[in-house]
Amino acid sequence: SDGLAFITLYASTQAMISSIKVEGTTLNAVMVNPVILQPGQNGIVIKFDNVSQLIPGTSYTITIGLKVGGNLIEVRAAATYYP
């Protein structure tokens, strides 16, 4: 698999993605585009390394850390792995 995740996030104000993790795994995000979210709907592409540790058909929680002003906010998205 290519290790890509496609997520749509709505932002009420500009925000910057500061961290991404897949709960229960040691996956690292090696690419995120865009890093800066604009107000409204944002289509985000995330590339992960070492996806061989994922189980096909299993749902995972992706936690995205966002910097908004001086605050750090975590949002979660569910994603199912299909190789």
Side-chain angles (χ1 to χ4, degrees):
S1 167
D2 57 11
L4 293 177
F6 301 92
I7 297 174
T8 301
L9 278 182
Y10 177 83
S12 57
T13 187
Q14 191 178 73
M16 184 179 84
I17 296 174
S18 60
S19 66
I20 296 177
K21 60 186 172 185
V22 179
E23 300 298 332
T25 76
T26 58
L27 290 179
N28 293 306
V30 293
M31 184 274 297
V32 180
N33 187 38
V35 173
I36 304 294
L37 305 183
Q38 299 300 329
Q41 295 279 69
N42 292 267
I44 303 165
V45 180
I46 307 166
K47 182 170 178 57
F48 292 100
D49 67 358
N50 197 23
V51 292
S52 61
Q53 67 183 284
L54 299 180
I55 301 165
T58 300
S59 182
Y60 293 90
T61 300
I62 299 174
T63 301
I64 302 169
L66 299 172
K67 286 186 181 174
V68 182
N71 299 315
L72 181 63
I73 298 169
E74 286 192 339
V75 295
R76 290 170 178 78
T80 303
Y81 175 62
Y82 296 106

